[in-house]
Amino acid sequence: MELVKLQIEEEIAIVTIDRVKSMNALNNQVYEEIIAHLEAIRANDAVKVVILTGAGEKAFAAGADIVQMVGQNAMEGRHLAWLCHRAAELLETMRQVTIAAVNGYALGGGCELTLACDIRVAAENARFALPEVGLGIIPGGGGTQRLSRIIGIGRAKELIFTCDQIDAQEAYRMGLANHVVPQAELMDYCRAMGKKIASKASYAVSVAKASINNSENVDLPSGCAREQDLLGLLFATHDKGEGMKAFLERRKPEFTDF
Ligand code: HXC
């Protein structure tokens, strides 16, 4: 049975974790299907934006599947972490912009998937937490690495050590959620944001994403040096000429993506 749905709406791909009875808990099959969909989207030049969400009204994903994990050994646990990291790596590094539409609980591995997305939009009922140390494990799908980069190390340590759940407004205050919207408007809000991003020069958007990501991993002079080279590269593209000519001619640009 398919546990993750893929829907393509012109330049926007919607990936929906669909295991409502288990609060969209993430077992190996769910992770494998997310990875397969993201790999297919990555190879699809027509798609500019990916929205990742959960089916139903209660959960984005309530974490890795505890029913599966309870009987697993160390190598199986290692493989589960690999699956989560592979999905996160794709969300973070793929050319397309990734938006998490957080429609309820985003706990454990579910929260970690949102952390790998470029942008998080929370429904008013969204709740975020990393409850792993309460289960005798750690947020091993990137949670100990990415949360502190988004909200700062002190707040990240507190959330991970206490397992506290935070609501959408608190996530917004911390900079974890970019926006908070009524649940009924969540998908349309994300679609509108996706359409706005897709209307820009998409190669430039993907280069901006790569340059921002690079800034997290290198010192400032190295990041700035790379940024200068990337800007130079963009001067060789059709879309740079078109974008600037369109501005000067007071018309809408017609981008070709290169
Ligand atoms: C398996 C889960 C689940 C999970 C919920 N369910 N979360 N099954 N794994 N992570 C199941 C419940 O067992 C139950 O199944 C059904 O979903 C509904 O859940 P309830 O608990 O009855 O609902 P509610 O009282 O509303 O509470 C919702 C909840 C709670 C707050 C989300 O279910 C919860 O705390 N879940 C666990 C969250 C968690 O600890 N996640 C982190 C996992 S560790 P039945 O069959 O009884 O109806 C992790 C590690 C990742 O994510 C690291 C590397 C990959």
Side-chain angles (χ1 to χ4, degrees):
M1 196 182 69
E2 197 187 42
L3 299 179
V4 183
K5 304 274 188 310
L6 172 63
Q7 196 184 333
I8 308 257
E9 297 176 1
E10 298 175 351
E11 62 271 87
I12 298 177
I14 301 178
V15 177
T16 306
I17 304 163
D18 191 359
R19 241 192 126 198
V20 175
K21 279 190 188 150
S22 310
M23 296 271 175
N24 298 327
L26 305 156
N27 61 14
N28 283 15
Q29 186 187 338
V30 174
Y31 279 124
E32 282 159 7
E33 289 184 22
I34 293 173
I35 291 166
H37 287 318
L38 294 177
E39 279 174 345
I41 294 166
R42 196 170 57 154
N44 184 344
D45 283 343
V47 174
K48 315 292 184 205
V49 172
V50 181
I51 300 174
L52 178 64
T53 193
E57 293 181 347
K58 290 191 178 158
F60 173 86
D65 188 335
I66 300 170
V67 176
Q68 175 190 283
M69 287 191 294
V70 68
Q72 286 187 315
N73 63 30
M75 289 314 291
E76 289 163 338
R78 178 71 180 72
H79 181 63
L80 177 67
W82 183 85
L83 288 170
C84 187
H85 275 271
R86 179 67 187 140
E89 182 193 7
L90 282 163
L91 289 164
E92 195 166 66
T93 63
M94 67 199 300
R95 192 171 40 78
Q96 291 89 349
V97 171
T98 54
I99 301 174
V102 187
N103 56 312
Y105 291 110
L107 309 180
C111 183
E112 289 172 318
L113 287 175
T114 76
L115 298 178
C117 289
D118 298 314
I119 294 163
R120 283 157 293 284
V121 181
E124 282 166 347
N125 69 326
R127 295 184 77 83
F128 296 82
L130 288 170
E132 282 90 341
V133 300
L135 297 168
I137 57 173
I138 60 168
T144 66
Q145 306 302 303
R146 290 193 179 88
L147 184 63
S148 57
R149 284 170 156 87
I150 297 169
I151 65 170
I153 197 161
R155 283 177 168 149
K157 282 180 173 169
E158 182 181 337
L159 283 183
I160 290 171
F161 299 161
T162 62
C163 304
D164 281 350
Q165 278 186 16
I166 56 167
D167 64 17
Q169 287 301 341
E170 198 170 351
Y172 176 72
R173 276 194 297 275
M174 286 183 180
L176 182 56
N178 293 53
H179 302 277
V180 180
V181 299
Q183 182 163 47
E185 294 166 25
L186 178 66
M187 291 309 291
D188 282 347
Y189 189 94
C190 291
R191 279 189 184 93
M193 184 188 284
K195 280 196 163 66
K196 186 189 278 186
I197 292 168
S199 75
K200 309 299 178 194
S202 68
Y203 185 59
V205 172
S206 69
V207 168
K209 171 169 171 168
S211 187
I212 296 166
N213 282 347
N214 185 53
S215 76
E216 292 288 301
N217 301 320
V218 299
D219 59 77
L220 186 62
S222 309
C224 288
R226 170 120 180 246
E227 187 188 73
Q228 292 168 55
D229 290 341
L230 291 171
L231 179 67
L233 173 73
L234 288 165
F235 271 59
T237 61
H238 164 273
D239 282 355
K240 172 261 178 187
E242 170 60 12
M244 295 191 185
K245 270 187 225 144
F247 172 79
L248 295 172
E249 292 165 11
R250 298 178 186 278
R251 61 174 172 81
K252 268 191 149 183
E254 285 180 30
F255 292 127
T256 58
D257 303 340
F258 286 103

